[in-house]
Amino acid sequence: RRPSRRPRRCPRAPCRPDRRAPGQGSSEMDEDGDAKADDEGWQELMGSDVRLMRVESGDGEQAQIEFDVTASYDLLALPSESLLESRPAREYRIGAADTCPALELALRYCRGGDRVRVRASSKFSYPTGLRRGGEEVVPKGTDVEFVVHVLAVTPPRDMGCGDAGVVQAEMEARKRAGNALLEEGEERRALRCYGACLKAVSGLELDLSEEGFERVRTLHVDMLNNSAAAHLRLDNPAAAKEACIAALELDANSSKALYRAGRAASILGDFTEARMALEQAQDLAPEDASVKRELALLTRREKEYRRKEKAMFKGMANTLMDDTTQAPDRGVEERRAALKVKGPKRPPPNAFQLFLRAEKQRILDENPGMIGSEAVNVAGRMWNELDEERKQHYMHEAARMAEEKAMKDEQALSAAPPPAAPPAAATKKE
């Protein structure tokens, strides 16, 4: 039997720090529960890929899973140790992926008041590089060092008690963390932060209309609005629109929700809905320059859409009328006469006619007593309000049917027998 080449896992290998406390069950830990340091003072947390050096030990609480660690750091490039950026103090939740894996792992080994240096390879820090505000901070493949100051370690809050103060404190903490991630350009991490908190609050089944929960409701709306902003940055207007709708269900007068809902609808091509939302946002915040800019952009998009739609319909009309606008030669006329075809028959349906076929009977069924002409008028209004995606479906189908009709006509004309030669004129016998 061929032996397996897969190396066996050593039963005494160090445990993963995100599953167990530092030092538990590890042969590479010292008596205090910390990873053993080499001669230079570096402790290996993930082999040589993530190493930690304790510069100053604090006496605060030891960080654990789901604890919030407030820390600031300077980010250096290796091996030059040149400064890449300095980040102010903010909260990082252990296990919530609020930062890169190397820094989160290092914070897991820290106490309040610690000052540490963390060296990380690019694959555990920023494997594809880091950009903030469109500018490159960390080039791709760069190993880095974090010089970290841990200011505080906060135990998790028990939101299960349903106390408004506890829920409010938790939501404010996660909102701060999510907002910081948005400012750093970490939209996906911000969405995870907001989403996890909102999911936890929704699971409590709280009545946000009760007294004492006003601030919780406001925080809920703010996090939904910020989630919509993150989705828009990630070019996901459909998800942004859903977040805005959820925010407006809690606060119908949220100008931010209306503004971002209008932006999302405009990108999706729902111009009527976009204008309605943006005009309501302008009524609530008449001095908001961003709303004015978005309304101007919406007007330009509407004009461009009408121009493209007009050009597309003109092209379709030219395709449909090609057989009638070009004067056929005499041979074609004679073959049509032989086939008893007097010009083209009824032209293929256009996009609206296909839509009318699909919807007319349903409109009549839902409105007893309505006559056919009234149903056509209703269908016309529905067509004008139809979203761009469904309109494109009918337009493509109409163009396909027009092309098929033109091909069939051409094939019929080609297959027709040539006209018989006229009989020779009879001559009188002399």
Side-chain angles (χ1 to χ4, degrees), residues 335-336 339 341 406-417:
R335 277 179 282 171
R336 279 180 174 165
L339 291 171
V341 177
M407 290 177 62
K408 287 180 180 179
D409 287 349
E410 187 62 29
Q411 289 171 1
L413 291 173
S414 300

Side-chain angles (χ1 to χ4, degrees), residues 109-411:
Y109 282 87
C110 292
R111 295 178 176 273
D114 278 358
R115 292 181 181 271
V116 298
R117 296 168 61 190
V118 183
R119 288 189 171 179
S121 65
S122 60
K123 69 178 180 180
F124 284 99
S125 54
Y126 305 105
T128 59
L130 176 65
R131 302 183 68 87
R132 300 198 196 280
E135 296 183 0
E136 185 178 61
V137 177
V138 180
K140 181 180 179 180
T142 303
D143 296 342
V144 296
E145 177 178 327
F146 299 90
V147 181
V148 186
H149 182 202
V150 179
L151 302 175
V153 176
T154 308
R157 305 169 186 84
D158 181 18
M159 289 201 302
C161 65
D163 180 73
V166 175
V167 175
Q168 176 180 329
E170 173 67 9
M171 293 187 73
E172 286 177 341
R174 298 317 291 157
K175 180 187 173 184
R176 286 195 301 270
N179 291 356
L181 288 167
L182 272 184
E183 291 175 3
E184 294 171 3
E186 298 278 357
E187 288 84 6
R188 288 182 173 82
R189 293 185 190 274
L191 285 172
R192 283 198 294 269
C193 179
Y194 295 137
C197 183
L198 292 174
K199 183 177 180 181
V201 173
S202 299
L204 299 176
E205 297 182 356
L206 302 174
D207 186 359
L208 299 182
S209 62
E210 291 183 0
E211 185 178 355
F213 284 92
E214 296 84 358
R215 177 59 181 165
V216 173
R217 184 170 59 253
T218 301
L219 288 167
H220 200 127
V221 173
D222 290 345
M223 294 176 83
L224 287 168
N225 283 332
N226 293 348
S227 298
H231 283 303
L232 287 170
R233 289 189 191 179
L234 294 172
D235 295 327
N236 190 355
K241 185 177 176 181
E242 290 180 5
C244 292
I245 291 172
L248 291 169
E249 288 176 352
L250 293 173
D251 182 5
N253 293 322
S254 172
S255 59
K256 286 185 178 180
L258 288 166
Y259 162 65
R260 287 169 185 156
R263 280 190 63 192
S266 177
I267 296 170
L268 291 169
D270 300 332
F271 299 135
T272 303
E273 185 175 340
R275 184 165 293 280
M276 185 182 302
L278 289 171
E279 287 177 351
Q280 290 183 29
Q282 190 175 42
D283 291 340
L284 293 169
E287 302 301 324
D288 193 333
S290 58
V291 177
K292 295 178 181 178
R293 285 195 301 269
E294 193 62 33
L295 277 168
L297 178 60
L298 174 61
T299 300
R300 291 196 297 271
R301 282 178 175 161
E302 287 174 329
K303 290 180 179 178
E304 181 65 15
Y305 172 77
R306 285 194 293 268
R307 184 188 66 78
K308 289 182 178 179
E309 187 177 42
K310 184 177 179 180
M312 182 172 59
F313 276 117
K314 183 177 180 181
M316 290 172 60
N318 290 338
T319 301
L320 292 172
M321 298 301 293
D322 273 347
D323 289 340
T324 59
T325 55
Q326 297 179 2
D329 58 27
R330 186 165 184 80
V332 172
E333 288 182 344
E334 291 174 348
R335 277 179 282 171
R336 279 180 174 165
L339 291 171
K340 298 181 180 179
V341 177
K342 297 180 181 178
K345 295 183 179 179
R346 175 185 291 183
N350 59 28
F352 172 70
Q353 289 170 336
L354 291 176
F355 174 75
L356 182 61
R357 288 181 186 178
E359 299 292 334
K360 183 176 179 180
Q361 189 57 49
R362 183 181 64 81
I363 295 171
L364 292 173
D365 292 342
E366 293 177 357
N367 299 275
M370 180 179 286
I371 62 175
S373 59
E374 294 174 338
V376 172
N377 291 334
V378 172
R381 291 194 295 271
M382 292 172 61
W383 173 259
N384 291 333
E385 298 174 358
L386 197 65
D387 61 83
E388 179 63 18
E389 185 177 354
R390 291 193 62 193
K391 275 190 178 181
Q392 288 292 338
H393 165 73
Y394 289 110
M395 290 175 184
H396 291 321
E397 183 65 15
R400 184 190 65 80
M401 294 177 69
E403 185 176 355
E404 287 183 357
K405 175 68 166 56
M407 290 177 62
K408 287 180 180 179
D409 287 349
E410 187 62 29
Q411 289 171 1

